[in-house]
Amino acid sequence: MQRHRAGIVSRFLADAIDLLVIIGVLVGVYFAVAAARFLLHPRRFTWPEPSGLNLAAFGWILLFAYLAIGWSNTGRTLGKSVLGLRVVSHSGDPLAFPRAMVRSFLCVAVPIGLFWCVVSSRNASIADLIVRSSVVYDWERRLPAAES
């Protein structure tokens, strides 16, 4: 299975783990803001009440950055790493940062595009087709190439 294209189940599970990571970060940021407010004004402390729109926007931006950085660095996010998956370009290398950003934007803006890999003969999502990438099984650990 090494270097074969990943199917919908493993990709969906990896994405679910990534979503849980982002939700965990959002909860952590919420409690950090609450702690800072408490330390600054303990007698007038109230819990932060972010609007749904602000929370969604911050989560969207955080997810976008998390995916783009992970895919351009090692080709993995935490979810992909747990399931032994890697996002690679058509040549098998990690995505360049601009392509990783486009792929990340497409995945966050149109998450339903993942399900295109169910009908695709090469297990490609809509984002994969647009940026010419693939998600493959890859259990080897690789660090990003050192810049000289």
Side-chain angles (χ1 to χ4, degrees), residues 14-96:
D15 291 346
I17 291 169
D18 289 334
L19 184 60
L20 289 175
V21 167
I22 296 301
I23 290 171
V25 170
L26 286 172
V27 169
V29 167
Y30 176 82
F31 283 114
V33 168
R37 287 175 68 166
F38 178 76
L39 291 173
L40 292 173
H41 306 287
R43 292 184 188 263
R44 294 182 291 141
F45 173 74
T46 58
W47 287 96
E49 296 179 18
S51 73
L53 182 62
N54 287 343
L55 200 56
F58 183 61
W60 193 92
I61 291 167
L62 194 62
L63 182 59
F64 167 77
Y66 168 76
L67 295 175
I69 291 167
W71 292 337
S72 66
N73 229 352
T74 60
R76 295 178 182 225
T77 56
L78 183 63
K80 300 259 187 290
S81 186
V82 166
L83 281 133
L85 303 177
R86 187 179 306 273
V87 177
V88 295
S89 66
H90 63 282
S91 63
D93 298 322
L95 296 180

